[in-house]
Amino acid sequence: MEEVFNMSDISTRVERLTLDMVRITSISETAGEDRCARFMYDHLAQWPYYQDHPEHLRLEPIPGDLLGRHNLVALMRGGQDSARTVVLLGHLDTVATDDYGDLQECACEPLALAERLKTQDLPDEVRADLESGEWMFGRGAFDMKSGLAAQMSVMLDLSERLDSFAGNLVFLAVPDEENNSAGMLAAVHTLNNLAASEGLEYLAAIDSDYTAPRFPGDENNYVYVGTVGKLLPSFLVVGKETHVGQSFEGVDPNQLASELTRSINMSMDLCDGAEGEYPSPPVTLRQKDTKENYSVQTAGMVELFFNYHTHRSTPDLVLEKLIDKAHTAFDKVIDRLNREYKAFCSANSIPHHKLPWQTRVVTVSELHYDLAERLGSDYEAHMEVFRKQLLTDTSLDGRDYGMKIVREMIRLRPAKDPVIVVFYLPPYYPHIYVEGENEREKHLLWSLTQAITEVESETGTTLIPKKFYPYISDLSYFSTASNPDAIRALTENMPGWGEKYELPLEAIARLNLPVVNIGPMGKDAHKYTERLQKDYSFRLVPLLLEKTLTHLLGE
Ligand SMILES: [Zn+2]
């Protein structure tokens, strides 16, 4: 560690620190995360700055965490008494290492792993990168210990010339990013508290998570201002059971769900783009009917939910679009059933009448108010007991829990006609669209442009600024839609909100920070061929970080 500390060349230092951190296996939701946090704490504690200011460095327990994990929080104050502060964020956890198969024991030993990989059958591109010597392999090297190493190394440099450094930094290294963001969600409160107790005014947050080629053969280096968001719009499609021999007497929820999926899945008309950047369109993460055993009765209900990436639409707008889709799908199915029934009657020479089905689409909050009105206090009391009981079943995740609540509401519903219930299930990751509309956003965009121009001219490397970090990450929790309609659309339509799942929306809205991701470049995150390009990641990233910080915190 002493050795790392004394390295004057920043890229050598970042590489060495990355190696040291990769060697501390820190798979998400294991004790390894805290070992990595402790290592980083010990490293920072040796710096003269933290020797002088030990009170600015701490491992902060994550409230209620079953593994007793900590966030690393390090404040560094510049020499000129200023409130202006930039947050540096990184996650110290990694995904598991099972994907390495028989190489698993050296997944976190980059040098040994490179040797072992040479003996494997590898895709041509991986082999070429391996043999070039310009890439570092290893679990977490790319995602994202090299990003943390770059941030720390830049801080160390700045700590040696604090007199000329305007403003302050808060460095946060958090666990659980690859799971439930427990670290970041606790850090939201830490940041608000720190702002109050230390008199800090945050300007922006910088993450250094991984960046990767966007298409085969892509050799661009990307810097992202803002981030993609994610919602999980969900449907309980309630049909009407019937005997297969009298199929026109029922409505098959599988047919309704299929029409819904056909119109939503992979549909570019729902793809939520902004400024010429489009995330991947919605795609199903579940579609299954609720029938457990074989019988000649058609299914009663279908559970359906979609991954939905956002760049600009808030939960209220997405909900509207999906209600619309549900209406259209329902109409189409009724039309089709009527057409087929007419043909069936004529083929059998029997009298035809119009089928009785009506398009019915409700949000879960509408369903709730309707039931409360019709069933009165019995309904509320019943649901309370039901929820309490459901909470004792720890095998249910937030999605199963929410789905079961909606199914119970449908069970109580006096009307038994077909209906599509629209709602949200967890998680929710707000998108952050840095439009340049307020001073902070303008300042971040300006600072980044300056820094990019300087790095390009000093190094001859082209950097491509983009608007939305394309991978779901902790960055989302620096800002959220705060207009009441958006919040209501989400919280009133997410069964289990506040019981099984919750976000500190108010605290996040208080931060309301524009964000940027300046991170290592590499390939195959979350695969055993995970690797980073050393020159860009170890030399260019720290340079760009340092220049961005200087412009952000300078006047
Ligand atoms: Zn990551």
Side-chain angles (χ1 to χ4, degrees):
M1 207 182 290
E2 204 88 343
E3 201 187 322
V4 174
F5 183 63
N6 289 325
M7 284 171 179
S8 59
D9 171 45
I10 193 163
S11 62
T12 321
R13 201 194 310 146
V14 178
E15 177 165 2
R16 179 56 200 274
L17 201 48
T18 302
L19 266 180
D20 286 349
M21 286 199 288
V22 171
R23 285 180 175 137
I24 303 165
T25 307
S26 54
I27 295 166
S28 210
E29 292 205 301
T30 66
E33 290 169 286
D34 241 28
R35 279 197 296 278
C36 190
R38 169 56 67 175
F39 170 86
M40 294 168 74
Y41 176 94
D42 290 343
H43 174 80
L44 291 165
Q46 289 181 65
W47 298 5
Y49 179 82
Y50 290 110
Q51 302 257 310
D52 292 346
H53 304 280
E55 75 283 6
H56 287 173
L57 176 64
R58 59 175 193 266
L59 285 170
E60 192 159 282
I62 296 169
D65 187 58
L66 294 177
L67 287 161
R69 291 170 294 181
H70 294 74
N71 285 331
L72 174 79
V73 185
L75 168 67
M76 198 175 93
R77 279 195 167 280
Q80 303 153 19
D81 193 23
S82 164
R84 297 158 69 85
T85 305
V86 171
V87 179
L88 293 173
L89 171 79
H91 68 85
L92 51 79
D93 59 322
T94 72
V95 291
T97 53
D98 311 76
D99 51 338
Y100 285 83
D102 65 335
L103 309 180
Q104 190 174 14
E105 82 249 16
C106 53
C108 298
E109 288 290 341
L111 307 181
L113 177 65
E115 287 313 307
R116 290 283 300 278
L117 279 170
K118 286 178 185 160
T119 68
Q120 304 284 305
D121 293 343
L122 297 171
D124 291 347
E125 188 182 348
V126 180
R127 179 156 307 277
D129 290 347
L130 180 64
E131 284 171 359
S132 73
E134 290 168 13
W135 297 71
M136 181 190 280
F137 289 70
R139 173 58 79 236
F142 175 38
D143 180 12
M144 60 161 277
K145 287 172 175 173
S146 52
L148 285 168
Q151 292 184 343
M152 288 162 83
S153 296
V154 169
M155 276 178 78
L156 178 60
D157 275 1
L158 294 173
S159 77
E160 286 166 354
R161 49 183 170 89
L162 280 182
D163 285 347
S164 62
F165 181 64
N168 319 295
L169 298 175
V170 173
F171 172 63
L172 279 175
V174 301
D176 202 45
E177 199 262 0
E178 303 288 5
N179 262 291
N180 301 310
S181 297
M184 179 60 201
L185 292 173
V188 167
H189 298 292
T190 306
L191 286 172
N192 279 316
N193 295 340
L194 211 54
S197 65
E198 295 282 337
L200 307 178
E201 180 207 326
Y202 299 125
L203 303 181
I206 304 179
D207 195 355
S208 295
D209 214 329
Y210 76 85
T211 68
R214 303 294 301 272
F215 51 88
D218 183 10
E219 292 191 350
N220 292 315
N221 300 301
Y222 296 107
V223 177
Y224 297 96
V225 193
T227 186
V228 68
K230 163 183 171 141
L231 285 159
L232 211 66
S234 308
F235 302 87
L236 185 63
V237 180
V238 182
K240 188 165 180 56
E241 295 101 328
T242 183
H243 188 282
V244 290
Q246 294 145 311
S247 49
F248 282 108
E249 290 178 21
V251 172
D252 178 5
N254 280 310
Q255 188 166 9
L256 279 172
S258 301
E259 183 54 36
L260 205 47
T261 296
R262 193 201 56 75
S263 72
I264 295 174
N265 217 44
M266 309 305 287
S267 288
M268 280 304 290
D269 70 325
L270 286 174
C271 193
D272 193 43
E275 294 196 31
E277 292 184 29
Y278 291 82
S280 34
V283 63
T284 49
L285 286 175
R286 179 183 293 176
Q287 175 171 347
K288 67 173 188 193
D289 71 43
T290 56
K291 208 174 131 178
E292 313 237 332
N293 300 310
Y294 175 81
S295 77
V296 288
Q297 188 187 38
T298 57
M301 294 184 269
V302 171
E303 299 179 352
L304 179 58
F305 55 72
F306 295 86
N307 188 83
Y308 197 119
H309 286 311
T310 61
H311 278 177
R312 68 190 316 164
S313 297
T314 44
D316 48 332
L317 299 178
V318 172
L319 200 65
E320 258 172 46
K321 289 182 204 173
L322 294 183
I323 290 170
D324 222 47
K325 287 283 186 188
H327 269 283
T328 311
F330 214 137
D331 288 347
K332 275 195 170 165
V333 167
I334 292 177
D335 277 357
R336 179 173 148 83
L337 287 176
N338 273 311
R339 261 195 334 270
E340 298 299 330
Y341 184 52
K342 202 166 182 181
F344 175 81
C345 291
S346 130
N348 280 298
S349 310
I350 53 173
H352 163 257
H353 58 87
K354 199 163 177 271
L355 293 169
W357 317 123
Q358 302 273 336
T359 292
R360 213 175 294 289
V361 178
V362 293
T363 63
V364 80
S365 70
E366 288 165 348
L367 178 62
H368 168 78
Y369 289 119
D370 185 49
L371 291 175
E373 196 177 53
R374 296 188 63 180
L375 308 177
S377 56
D378 283 357
Y379 160 71
E380 308 267 4
H382 172 82
M383 287 308 290
E384 199 176 317
V385 174
F386 182 81
R387 284 160 191 269
K388 266 202 190 119
Q389 182 131 37
L390 217 51
L391 279 172
T392 61
D393 183 352
T394 50
S395 71
L396 296 178
D397 71 8
R399 286 152 292 276
D400 299 331
Y401 180 83
M403 202 54 102
K404 281 195 186 297
I405 286 175
V406 184
R407 284 175 63 169
E408 183 65 8
M409 290 164 79
I410 285 296
R411 199 180 68 80
L412 299 176
R413 178 173 171 253
K416 304 296 181 200
D417 57 334
V419 61
I420 298 178
V421 189
V422 191
F423 51 103
Y424 284 118
L425 288 172
Y428 167 50
Y429 285 85
H431 59 258
I432 302 182
Y433 179 17
V434 183
E435 285 186 82
E437 291 216 316
N438 60 39
E439 281 313 309
R440 283 199 292 199
E441 293 186 358
K442 276 190 200 131
H443 186 55
L444 174 60
L445 291 169
W446 175 83
S447 305
L448 191 67
T449 308
Q450 298 297 310
I452 286 176
T453 310
E454 288 170 20
V455 171
E456 286 185 329
S457 80
E458 280 177 34
T459 65
T461 304
T462 305
L463 301 169
I464 313 271
K466 287 274 207 180
K467 267 299 165 73
F468 298 91
Y469 184 63
Y471 318 109
I472 294 301
S473 76
D474 279 349
L475 264 186
S476 279
Y477 297 128
F478 279 105
S479 186
T480 181
S482 52
N483 79 69
D485 288 345
I487 301 291
R488 251 199 322 274
L490 179 77
T491 58
E492 293 189 359
N493 287 297
M494 189 183 280
W497 177 272
E499 295 161 349
K500 192 85 178 175
Y501 178 80
E502 194 169 13
L503 290 175
L505 290 179
E506 218 174 285
I508 295 170
R510 221 173 321 142
L511 286 178
N512 190 27
L513 287 181
V515 299
V516 57
N517 189 81
I518 299 172
M521 192 273 279
K523 297 174 189 167
D524 296 352
H526 299 198
K527 298 183 187 157
Y528 80 102
T529 43
E530 167 177 355
R531 61 197 183 279
L532 62 84
Q533 208 280 337
K534 292 202 274 191
D535 186 56
Y536 180 83
S537 309
F538 297 150
R539 189 168 63 90
L540 273 288
V541 169
L543 191 61
L544 186 59
L545 278 173
E546 193 262 337
K547 289 188 186 293
T548 306
L549 285 173
T550 307
H551 287 294
L552 267 170
L553 290 167
E555 292 319 307

